[in-house]
Amino acid sequence: MRPIKVVVPFKLDCAKSRLSSVLSSDEREELALAMLEDVVDAVSGLGRVSILQKDPLPEDRIFDCLRSRPEIEFLECSQELDPALNMVIESEEKKGWPSDILIAMADLPLIRPSDLEELVRTPGEVVIVPGRGGGTNLILIRDPKFRVSYYGLSFLKHLQAARDLDLSAGVFESFRCASDIDEPSDLVEVLIHGRGRTPELLRNLGFELSGKRAACRM
Amino acid sequence: MRPIKVVVPFKLDCAKSRLSSVLSSDEREELALAMLEDVVDAVSGLGRVSILQKDPLPEDRIFDCLRSRPEIEFLECSQELDPALNMVIESEEKKGWPSDILIAMADLPLIRPSDLEELVRTPGEVVIVPGRGGGTNLILIRDPKFRVSYYGLSFLKHLQAARDLDLSAGVFESFRCASDIDEPSDLVEVLIHGRGRTPELLRNLGFELSGKRAACRM
């Protein structure tokens, strides 16, 4: 198995705005951080983890637990998501591609190491993991020619990009990997299927399951 | 491998009412029927398929293709979903449980035979397949003591019911099995990941993908 460099793009500013009807701005930041930590826990068995940020994390002690983890490095890049990620790919290409690159979104608190082991066993020069609504929640890049394109229907765009470059594309479908947490209706998935900090935080914020397939705040 | 009896509850009346903002009543019936056919295609390799209905299908020729399939039987039961399904379980119990029972919801047009093969390989006296929002999209019952309870957070209720009966419960998680089609935002999944009659019908009805992770009607 080739070594893997894991890249998790993370944005604290205006994080999770689609949850603003049920969470305050501070709470959404807390949620974004809890999800990031759960994602890092799930992926860190695969290799070194780089958290890619547009702005540096504030000097707040809630980030200390992330900063103190030796397997994590923090990358800063002022560019938007696609060019920032493609710069990471290009930089690895220039180094001779010492490791494959797995890009994992930071809002996937249900993923577990076993899901990632299955993903890594999936053949393909690029392996695309669909999210709900046509997104790409994770992508494993095994060829330095590939470039990402996240906006819109990125699942189909990534499949097409692989085809255009004559790269073999694998698709890894997974319930947990597909469950990105964006909207109030997604919180129920965290309370039912989550294990880590994210469901704990939601419970601390007063969310619980109602009988009607919803997460209600008490 | 023990034989499996597949039961698919189906309701034409007021089918898919949450799609009424984008589809007329007739179109929702057509969609419900296309999804049923895709589900039947996916499950029919496992064993005999019983379509469980509250009312008989109308004498309309659009149902002829279902009626003409020898592997399908039509069951009618005037009861609500839970008692109707539990009567099927009891009836098999009285016959000495000649086959296990797989209950599959009729609105899962993304499922493929390979998903079902994996489900059937999952150990457990009951195997529960979560849907989005805490539902149960499929359930494989290998013990005649079990009874279903579908309303509300049925995934958790079924887990608890297995525990109460001292039955081992397996959970089979799958992107395709979790994708029930209920709301307008779900149609994009059909257009991206579907293969059978359902995406064909949606395209014939004028739906296509927009770049914004939505299915738009042209």
Side-chain angles (χ1 to χ4, degrees):
Chain A
M1 193 91 81
R2 287 177 47 77
I4 294 175
K5 176 188 175 81
V6 185
V7 182
V8 184
F10 182 68
K11 197 179 71 160
L12 199 63
D13 215 37
C14 304
K16 297 287 138 198
S17 55
R18 280 192 277 163
L19 287 166
S20 57
S21 63
V22 294
L23 290 169
S24 72
S25 165
D26 282 357
E27 289 167 343
R28 296 200 307 275
E29 288 195 0
E30 276 186 86
L31 177 69
L33 188 71
M35 295 200 289
L36 173 65
E37 289 190 72
D38 284 342
V39 168
V40 168
D41 282 346
V43 299
S44 59
L46 295 177
R48 272 192 71 78
V49 180
S50 301
I51 296 178
L52 178 65
Q53 315 161 82
K54 205 169 170 184
D55 308 295
L57 285 180
E59 287 299 323
D60 193 311
R61 67 183 174 77
I62 66 166
F63 303 109
D64 285 353
C65 57
L66 274 174
R67 285 203 192 86
S68 66
R69 293 174 69 156
E71 77 275 25
I72 301 180
E73 69 169 350
F74 291 86
L75 300 177
E76 274 167 47
C77 177
S78 60
Q79 308 253 19
E80 294 301 315
L81 185 65
D82 285 344
L85 286 168
N86 287 329
M87 276 172 68
V88 175
I89 299 174
E90 278 157 38
S91 146
E92 293 300 299
E93 184 180 19
K94 281 184 195 136
K95 290 184 209 157
W97 203 252
S99 46
D100 296 331
I101 294 179
L102 173 70
I103 300 168
M105 294 293 110
D107 60 354
L108 309 174
L110 302 191
I111 59 170
R112 297 177 302 197
S114 56
D115 303 304
L116 296 158
E117 284 158 25
E118 269 191 83
L119 158 58
V120 167
R121 281 199 300 270
T122 306
E125 286 161 303
V126 183
V127 182
I128 309 167
V129 183
R132 292 224 352 131
T136 303
N137 281 0
L138 299 110
I139 188 164
L140 177 57
I141 301 167
R142 295 188 174 116
D143 187 292
K145 286 199 294 292
F146 193 80
R147 296 294 177 269
V148 298
S149 177
Y150 267 94
Y151 292 100
L153 295 166
S154 65
F155 175 72
L156 295 175
K157 283 159 85 178
H158 287 142
L159 278 180
Q160 185 61 47
R163 224 173 281 134
D164 292 345
L165 290 163
D166 227 1
L167 299 176
S168 62
V171 174
F172 174 66
E173 296 171 347
S174 144
F175 170 69
R176 288 180 175 270
C177 295
S179 300
D180 39 321
I181 306 303
D182 283 318
E183 304 193 4
S185 64
D186 298 329
L187 299 181
V188 69
E189 310 297 344
V190 177
L191 292 176
I192 293 179
H193 302 285
R195 290 290 172 275
R197 290 169 186 81
T198 312
E200 194 189 335
L201 173 71
L202 289 179
R203 286 193 193 98
N204 289 342
L205 292 174
F207 286 89
E208 48 186 71
L209 291 166
S210 87
K212 290 177 180 158
R213 300 194 178 189
C216 292
R217 199 153 184 183
M218 295 300 154
Chain B
M1 190 92 80
R2 288 175 47 75
I4 294 174
K5 176 187 176 82
V6 184
V7 182
V8 184
F10 182 68
K11 197 179 73 159
L12 200 63
D13 213 36
C14 305
K16 296 287 138 198
S17 55
R18 280 192 276 162
L19 287 166
S20 56
S21 64
V22 294
L23 290 169
S24 71
S25 165
D26 281 357
E27 288 167 344
R28 296 199 307 275
E29 288 195 0
E30 274 186 87
L31 177 69
L33 188 71
M35 295 200 289
L36 174 65
E37 289 188 73
D38 284 343
V39 169
V40 168
D41 281 345
V43 298
S44 59
L46 295 178
R48 271 192 72 77
V49 180
S50 301
I51 297 179
L52 178 65
Q53 315 161 84
K54 204 168 169 183
D55 308 296
L57 285 181
E59 287 299 324
D60 192 312
R61 67 186 173 76
I62 66 168
F63 303 107
D64 285 352
C65 57
L66 273 175
R67 285 203 192 87
S68 65
R69 292 173 69 155
E71 78 276 25
I72 300 180
E73 69 169 350
F74 290 87
L75 300 177
E76 275 168 46
C77 177
S78 61
Q79 308 254 19
E80 293 302 315
L81 185 65
D82 285 344
L85 286 168
N86 287 330
M87 276 172 67
V88 174
I89 299 174
E90 279 157 39
S91 145
E92 293 300 298
E93 185 180 18
K94 280 183 195 135
K95 289 185 210 156
W97 203 251
S99 46
D100 295 332
I101 294 179
L102 173 70
I103 300 168
M105 293 294 110
D107 59 355
L108 309 174
L110 302 191
I111 60 171
R112 296 177 303 198
S114 57
D115 304 304
L116 295 158
E117 284 158 25
E118 269 192 83
L119 158 58
V120 166
R121 280 198 301 269
T122 306
E125 287 161 303
V126 183
V127 182
I128 308 167
V129 184
R132 292 232 343 140
T136 303
N137 282 359
L138 299 111
I139 188 165
L140 176 58
I141 301 168
R142 295 187 174 118
D143 187 291
K145 286 198 293 294
F146 193 80
R147 296 293 177 271
V148 298
S149 177
Y150 266 94
Y151 292 101
L153 295 165
S154 65
F155 175 72
L156 295 175
K157 284 160 83 178
H158 286 142
L159 279 180
Q160 186 61 48
R163 226 173 280 134
D164 292 344
L165 290 163
D166 227 0
L167 300 176
S168 61
V171 173
F172 174 67
E173 295 170 347
S174 143
F175 170 70
R176 287 179 177 270
C177 296
S179 300
D180 39 320
I181 305 305
D182 283 317
E183 303 192 5
S185 64
D186 298 328
L187 299 181
V188 68
E189 310 297 344
V190 178
L191 292 176
I192 292 178
H193 301 285
R195 290 290 174 275
R197 291 171 185 80
T198 312
E200 194 188 335
L201 172 71
L202 288 179
R203 287 193 192 96
N204 288 343
L205 291 174
F207 285 90
E208 49 185 73
L209 291 166
S210 87
K212 292 180 179 156
R213 299 195 177 187
C216 291
R217 198 153 185 183
M218 295 300 155

